[in-house]
């Protein structure tokens, strides 16, 4: 690619409405239930009032508490962009006031270090989340500024960013460090865009470029603390993607959230600075992630031990960690690559994660959260592989990264639905609502009517003051075998390239595009190198991966198999789980007769019988009675 | 059962010969290769010379080093029982001399505590293996005495046992403690039998009875150390089976080796003291272990995290810990229950473990060892769940419990092959060699000719001076569907009860019994509650569980499936792996065509093809090129 740059940009959140349907309901629940709950949890645990903490009191501010509040503010800000809310703004303003008051004269802003161990500022970037917290605060500040126009938080973060830029850099008196947990790379790019100050972009690039260089900063830093670098808990710098310079990396390694925040930051910097080599690394890492290391749910990072990656095709189902935050981070990376390259493969993965491994992180009622998102669950077993793997969503976690992360993603789902260039409007996600970009020289409004993902019918209506020429680019999802497109009721055969149909014309007010995506029930196999899925299939319909949950089935779901010839039927169920499409069919259940007192028997003695089975969308499991669940089903 | 006692007793090792065949070869390799290697490892790591260690030197004696040397001595002693060896005895005598010199005036004998932290004797029974080491030393001392008649080591251990009996007990000035890692219970019973001193049996019973009582000794002990009991690394006393009194226990929990050493000790004490309630607990724990928590290989303890148990039917294949020592401990428990109840179910499990999950712990050449014994292995993946899970056997381990444990079991395999009562001789294991018990009032010799487990033909010949009446009780294994028995060439229909045929007659010199066990190739299914094996079968022939190892197969073994109708054929292969029976047939392999760059596809697009597959005995895997392996194969 000759010119690395943003081919498209997402729309401002203020220019997108999500109303009704799958995401409308989720954003509404997020605004009405989840955000207040998360505020209360932050309040009750001392996170909101962390700046009031004094030595000897309970609730000592943890090294990443700043980030928890930051993500909640960011989520709230996105919600405010759609609908102002005085009470919510007051809560944020109070939190910001405390931060502003706590900011040190030199601009430094970290509650833990200011209050608990001021002597140790910037002494342990490898482990202690200082720059990570700063990054989340920057993202929050930009979001709040864009939603409300209020500048206080933004200014606090500019001062902090200036301070960081003075401490870190290539100068002789500066530290050549970079974050152990990546995130600030993203925050700095957003701050650059919001302020126009290129220093922040350059600092982001600095952090990316320094990463993994020799002499290794984390070695130097450990020795300065009087520690042996070998004493690193995670043994190798793979854990934080600092094992080699990022431009030399081709394999997705280590902690999954860190990995994808880094890659998203790399994509940002590549696009903003026109850096082809950096983008090439992004592409290599993308391929490795999506071709060898991603669950069918879009979950990433199979292992609880390092909250991250192990080896290619190591995708165990019952011990899948697949942290909610990691799937979100994959969405961030996918979204950036999508806006750089406008290829459907990025939107396909983004959609896969959003509808499955991300949204599974929060209950339908918005009150409880999954940290890990396993693909198979047994009530008694899940504790085996890490305390974050559970079969019931939890109200909160001591390490509370996931709840506000999923909240900020849901609140900003509109950012992921559309992108525009001066001449084209891309529709990435089908979700009822509207978008009002400038395209083709005109300010237009595109409304979407759809019940997606429950069916594949989408109606797009163009509203504009006077006719304008631009390309409307509805996405043809990778999962879709057949589709029909019509403009104003007339079937059209549009050119489809890289996952998008190109409808280039002079659009008039009221023009209607109808897209009909055939949504069959599919059996999906994983690559034969995925040992965990050998001999098994998953059920998928549209973007939704399905699972068998015990409470819908009489047969033991963990032993049931699926005959290749069994017909699977999609059925709309208005009452179930707030309305969804279930998949029904017949499975082969193992009779428990003759098993008493026996653990092993000749297979020929084992009786099976055909039984009704019902599968629900994976993202909706664990909203009823706790029980077994599985995504991958043995073929029979 | 009205009278709890030993119905039979194993023969003295000196009265059993194992010659040729499967176990003859293993015992020979054990004697010639493994024992010298283990001595050298113990020597090179400072274990043998641990008593020479002084503060500041390298190789500080670890808390369980005494036990490593003890198990090696015990193994060597069993080998000496079959064949004296001056060089080996000299090595042992030197090691014993050092121990005797190191024994304190009061009888105390623990190298770590004597040399490293003398102030902390008996202050941390929960974690620090003091009594565990003592138990292994007792077993070694008894074995060496029985093999050689030399009393020095036995006397050292009597003095130590007397010391322990003075420290621990119900008296006011005594500690009511018991071992965090059970083992001494077995050692004390052996010491009791060797010396006739009932005090040792009573001390064993004391340790068993105190276990798990309130106030909890480990709480008391932790507080005395100035620690919070809650700070226990393993959180609950389940880990060491001290969560409740043993007579109230029904579920197999915690660290697997500890668990089965305890249960074996409970069975010992129950039989020696006629304790029905204690035996009832053993039966409950046996049922729980073998009906819900045992791999088809006889491996036990699925989890690396606690080296032990999780939940019923949690038997993952690729992360199976199934420590070699744990399968050995299961054999100990099974062997004791077998001699109490004379039921084939105990011998079936004992045989299952011996031929699969135990013997897999050592390479065919006797030089390398598995600590964990997974049922599925992928070169790149195994590191995920614990450093002890590997795909190649290792020459040694820092925690070196398994190598000498498997050595002592192999060296004493004769103990497991036969049992006798005054009127009956039981043949539990079919192995070429002979046994010379007293039975029916006569000293007889029974020779066995067989190529078991490679085929099911067994010829037993009775040799005696004058005819004697007794019951010869050859075992009819649980895996066997059909068998024929003949005496002196004439087919007999013997009564078969609880797994043994009863051949009661007046035996004359030269009488021959031939037993022909039909050895079909069987597909074995696991209980439907074992989620890891849903839709899969394992291949078994005779007592041997089979596996697909990559180096025997062109197709990727981890993705290959087994059609239900595919014929499986046993084939003797004289050259392979020192001679074994392989299973051949056709499997369904997934074609890699069309998968480039894809991780998920519609199952209907995936091409499969029938390919030749070859399975080898599980116990023989990883003796060639390192590669993938699996026991459970998806049905197709």
């Amino acid at each position: 690619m000759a010119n690395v740059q943003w081919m498209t940009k997402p729309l401002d959140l203020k220019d997108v409405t999500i109303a009704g349907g799958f995401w409308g309901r989720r954003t509404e629940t997020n605004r009405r239930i989840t955000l207040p709950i998360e505020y209360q949890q932050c309040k009750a645990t001392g996170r909101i009032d962390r700046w009031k903490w004094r030595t000897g009191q309970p609730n000592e501010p943890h090294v990443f508490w700043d980030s928890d509040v930051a993500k909640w503010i960011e989520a709230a800000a996105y919600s405010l962009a759609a609908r102002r809310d005085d009470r919510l703004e007051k809560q944020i303003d109070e939190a910001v006031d405390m931060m502003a008051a706590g900011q040190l004269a030199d601009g430094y802003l970290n509650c833990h270090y200011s209050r608990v161990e001021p002597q140790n500022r910037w002494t342990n970037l490898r482990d202690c989340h200082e720059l990570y917290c700063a990054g989340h605060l920057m993202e929050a500040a930009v979001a709040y500024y864009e939603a409300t126009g209020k500048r206080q938080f933004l200014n606090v973060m500019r001062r902090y960013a200036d301070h960081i830029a003075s401490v870190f850099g290539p100068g002789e008196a500066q530290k050549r460090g970079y974050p152990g947990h990546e995130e600030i790379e993203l925050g700095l790019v957003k701050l650059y865009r919001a302020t126009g100050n290129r220093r922040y972009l350059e600092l982001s690039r600095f952090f990316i470029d320094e990463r993994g260089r020799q002499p290794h900063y984390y070695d130097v830093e450990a020795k300065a603390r009087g520690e042996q670098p070998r004493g690193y808990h995670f043994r190798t710098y793979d854990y934080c993607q600092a094992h080699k310079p990022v431009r030399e990396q081709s394999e997705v390694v280590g902690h999954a959230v860190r990995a994808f925040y880094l890659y998203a930051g790399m994509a940002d910097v590549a696009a903003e600075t026109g850096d082809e080599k950096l983008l090439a690394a992004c592409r290599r890492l993308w391929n490795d992630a999506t071709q060898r290391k991603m669950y069918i749910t879009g979950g990433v990072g199979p292992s609880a031990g390092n909250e991250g990656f192990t080896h290619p095709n190591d995708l165990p189902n019952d011990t899948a960690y697949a942290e909610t935050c990691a799937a979100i981070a994959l969405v961030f990376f996918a979204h950036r690559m999508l806006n750089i390259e406008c290829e459907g493969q990025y939107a396909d993965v983004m959609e896969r994660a959003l509808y499955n491994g991300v949204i599974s992180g929060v209950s339908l009622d918005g009150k409880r959260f999954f940290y890990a998102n396993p693909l198979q669950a047994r009530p008694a077993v899940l504790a085996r592989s890490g305390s974050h793997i559970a079969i019931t969503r939890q109200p909160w976690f001591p390490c509370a990264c996931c709840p506000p992360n999923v909240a900020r993603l849901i609140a900003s789902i509109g950012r992921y639905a559309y992108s525009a260039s001066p001449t084209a409007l891309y529709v990435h996600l089908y979700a009822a609502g509207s978008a009002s970009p400038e395209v083709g020289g005109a300010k237009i409004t595109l409304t979407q009517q759809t019940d997606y993902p429950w069916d594949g019918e989408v109606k797009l209506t163009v509203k504009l003051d006077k006719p304008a020429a631009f390309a409307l680019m509805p996405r043809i999802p990778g999962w879709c075998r057949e589709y029909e497109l019509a403009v104003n009721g007339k079937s059209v055969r549009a050119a489809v390239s890289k996952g998008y149909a190109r409808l280039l014309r002079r659009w008039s007010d009221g023009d209607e595009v109808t897209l009909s995506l055939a949504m069959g029930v599919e059996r999906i196999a994983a690559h034969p190198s995925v040992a965990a899925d050998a001999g098994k299939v998953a059920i998928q319909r549209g973007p939704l991966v399905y699972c068998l949950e015990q409470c819908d089935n009489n047969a033991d779901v963990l032993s049931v198999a699926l005959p290749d010839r069994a017909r699977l039927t999609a059925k709309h169920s208005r009452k179930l789980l707030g309305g969804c499409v279930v998949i029904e069919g017949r499975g082969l259940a193992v009779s428990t007769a003759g098993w008493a007192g026996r653990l092993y028997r000749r297979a020929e003695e084992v009786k099976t019988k055909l039984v009704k089975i019902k599968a629900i969308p994976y993202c909706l499991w664990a909203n009823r009675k706790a029980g077994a669940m599985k995504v991958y089903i043995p073929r029979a």
Side-chain angles (χ1 to χ4, degrees), chain A residues 247-313:
Chain A
R247 285 154 205 278
E248 299 170 18
Q249 296 188 24
S250 299
E251 293 184 24
V252 174
V253 295
H255 186 277
V257 181
R258 296 176 196 231
F260 287 105
Y261 281 1
L262 169 64
Y263 309 152
M266 287 162 61
D268 267 349
V269 169
E272 295 289 353
T273 64
D275 188 330
E276 288 185 35
K277 285 190 178 166
L278 195 55
L279 185 64
C282 290
R283 283 198 205 99
R284 292 194 305 270
L285 292 161
W286 173 266
N287 289 338
D288 189 52
T290 58
Q291 294 173 17
R292 305 201 293 168
K293 294 172 181 170
M294 180 184 71
Y295 285 100
I296 192 171
T297 57
V300 277
S303 167
N306 63 348
E307 300 193 304
F309 295 96
T310 53
H311 297 278
N313 302 306

Side-chain angles (χ1 to χ4, degrees), chain A residues 1-12:
Chain A
M1 180 176 293
N3 274 318
V4 173
Q5 59 180 15
W6 299 115
M7 282 179 64
T8 57
K9 292 195 177 174
L11 307 192
D12 286 347

Side-chain angles (χ1 to χ4, degrees), chain A residues 326-506:
Chain A
I328 291 170
L330 174 62
V331 168
F332 293 164
F333 183 34
H335 188 223
R336 282 156 177 84
M337 294 302 286
L338 177 61
N339 280 291
I340 295 171
E341 307 207 323
C342 289
E343 287 195 18
Q345 63 162 319
Y346 300 111
D348 285 344
V349 167
M350 185 174 84
E351 184 184 58
R352 182 185 289 283
L354 283 171
Y355 277 106
N356 301 288
V358 167
I359 205 71
S360 64
V362 58
S363 62
L364 202 53
D365 67 7
K367 293 178 181 174
R368 290 177 174 256
F369 310 92
F370 272 143
Y371 197 110
N373 296 275
L375 280 77
Q376 180 163 314
R378 201 154 76 94
V381 171
L382 276 172
R384 167 154 46 91
S385 287
S387 56
H388 280 134
I389 304 185
I391 63 153
T392 48
R393 293 185 185 84
Q394 304 296 310
W396 195 246
F397 307 96
C399 174
C401 49
C402 297
N405 216 355
V406 73
R408 69 175 177 144
L409 187 65
I410 293 172
S412 59
I413 190 69
R415 294 273 293 175
Y416 302 89
Y418 307 93
S419 297
S421 72
T423 57
L425 175 60
Y426 284 77
V427 186
H428 305 305
L429 301 179
Y430 297 112
S434 63
S436 304
E438 264 202 42
V439 63
K443 181 81 177 177
I444 73 146
T445 293
L446 183 80
T447 62
Q448 266 204 64
Q449 292 170 271
T450 182
D451 201 24
Y452 192 95
W454 308 125
D455 71 37
E457 306 301 314
V458 180
K459 184 159 89 177
L460 304 171
T461 309
V462 179
K463 296 183 182 174
L464 32 56
D465 291 336
K466 52 179 185 181
F470 61 91
L472 183 62
M473 309 282 288
R475 175 170 155 258
I476 309 300
W479 54 258
C480 182
R481 298 191 199 218
E482 286 179 36
Y483 63 92
E484 287 179 21
L485 259 176
V487 176
N488 296 328
K490 283 187 191 167
S491 182
V492 295
R493 299 185 66 182
V496 175
S497 170
K498 294 180 178 175
Y500 290 85
R502 182 175 173 82
L503 300 174
L504 175 60
R505 56 182 277 159
R506 191 164 184 85

